[in-house]
Amino acid sequence: MKIKGIPASFGFAIGRAHLLKSNVYTPKGASIQSSDVENEIERFIQGKALSVNQLENLHQEAVKKLGAEKAEVFQGQIEIVTDEELTNEVSGKIRKQLMNAEVAVHLAFEEAIAEVESLDDNYLRARADDLRDIRQRIVNNIAGRERNDNLFETEDAVIVIAHDITPSDFAQMDTKKVVGIGSETGSLTSHVSIMAQTLLVPAVVGACQVTSVVSDGDMVVLDGQDGFIIVNPSSAVLSTYREKQRLEIQESQQLSGIVDLPSATLDGKRLELLANIGTDRDVEAAIRFGAQGIGLYRTEYLYMDQESMPTEEAQFSAYRTVLEKMQDKKVIIRTVDLGGDKKVPYIDFPEEDNPFLGWRGVRIYKDYPGLIKAQLRAILRASVYGQAEILFPMIISVEEIQRLKALLSELQSELMREEIPFDDDIKVGVMIETPAAVMVSEALAKEVDFFSIGTNDLTQYTLAVDRGNNRIANQYNELHPSVIRLIKRVIDSAHANGIRVGMCGELAGTLRAVELLIGLGLDELSMSAPRLPTVKKKLINCVYDDALYLADQVLQTSTSMQIARILSETEPAGNCVKNNSI
Amino acid sequence: MVSAEMTIQNETGLHTRPGTRFVRLAKTFKCNITIRKRDREFNGKSLLTLMKVGISEGDTIILKCDGEDEDIALKSLQEFIESLEE
């Protein structure tokens, strides 16, 4: 039996199910007499005091297990329990409406929970679960009900399954015994998910009806990668997952070794390995996986899901955070690339037959100059906090970059007049993602400090294939001979003019292309952080001379099939099927 | 009564963690502390209310302090908000 949920913390767990009994109890009860009012108030006060006590203890335990920062959630809970307004409301309900203490508390929280759940912010909405957790604790304490999770008496390798797992529940778990958690409620940003990620405990949330299907003691596989909970798995499924666990352990062991090795081939050719990030939260993963810098900081997330354009201040803050976290490692910030499928309400997008060939990227800046000015000012101001570089997307002509450089210069003068410091030597680059840019790359190279090849868009524009179109998506191929020749041309233009060239498209993180990319002469590869160790492993086992030869061979073939064959022949035997009859 | 207008700069705004610290700081002062967001005014010493209203990055609020130590209260709270980074 396989239940699907939302993967909330990566990893694979195998163990016996331990069902957490539901602590959810909705109090009902008769009204009280007016003579009982003071007594009820006293019950409420006692209930609060006991709750605070319990939470202080939980806080201390959590500090030890999770660290002070993550444990702070319990301080927040204490603050809510002792909240003035809450106390006034509850007292009001007891005195004026003659409710008993449990019901008064339940209803006072109900309002707050409803309001929090109707807020726009995803992060905030998840706080509603915290409020429920706190409410339950106070109500249970007033009523004298015990919380009944004896997780200290379980055998080893237990997977906790429940309707709802609260931060308090999780903080009490012995993570040597609890190897995974699964719940019917919860979300990716709930506190429990975050705690599980910190402690590297695989977790699946939102698994509807799992408590109806799992019994205490059932053998369970919890897949924190794809979000499955498998009850009473067959031996085939069990061995598949044991293998996944083994590989995961192996990967993480190798990971810690690889991060410290120099980023170069066996014969000493260096290549920088960078990470792509979308938000400043991705930076931690980038650092953990050994990125030597950020090759692409996609700034669109600052603009999307918002009612209005992000202010210069808000952006400055975000860029500063990333730059400070990365310290002396470079951070290539790509200016906002909206349009196509990335729309926002505060910009008037036209109806387009061909949005892909439409009003997007730098084209929008001309019509909304405030947009790019605010962003560039924010980047410049933040540049004093680290190694910022500016990258412009969707460039097709030399005129475009010249105009943008003039604007940048203007803004730098503006900042100087305002006596605001910035890095006056900030590097500027362009994305090469259109055939037009490739063909004038010689001239573009004289205008900028670096190129970044965006293979995703470059491939689509070059092959005239929309990878989102099911009918022809199988023709999308980043290793098409035309695409590879264009890449080579860009690299040659860059080096002929003494500038560096990197790649930030999906191809950069594709294992079977790594040796080819090295041989073509790229200086940097930027990819999503988890890809870094695998790619680095490949890099440090390559011989540059062999890579040059490989690139040469590939550049001389003119069919995708031959190229695919050449590339797969360089994989160690056993990883692919050889087709000698072709 | 003294007041000041501020815009929230940090990413998570006055949610859970910074919210808790804000309220605890506010509670150390004797004066009344209210926060005004758009047309709602509420008690700045109540974390529950703070969560209900939801103060996010980019929001403009008016901090009001009324009472004995109002000046130092306003100054401290302003500094606190300006210093938030996460």
Side-chain angles (χ1 to χ4, degrees), chain A residues 406-418:
Chain A
L407 173 63
L408 189 66
S409 196
E410 217 181 274
L411 294 172
Q412 285 173 323
S413 304
E414 207 175 84
L415 287 172
M416 274 199 293
R417 280 194 301 274
E418 295 170 26

Side-chain angles (χ1 to χ4, degrees), chain A residues 17 22 35-36 39 61 63-64 66 73 86 93 111 275 296 303 345 392 403 424 454 475 536 556:
Chain A
S22 176
S35 50
D36 289 328
N39 193 37
E61 266 186 58
V63 167
K64 276 185 263 164
L66 303 163
V73 64
L86 177 71
K93 286 182 173 11
E111 253 183 60
L296 175 66
Y303 291 80
F392 293 113
R403 260 199 311 264
D424 53 16
Q475 296 202 44
K536 187 164 183 184
Q556 284 175 36

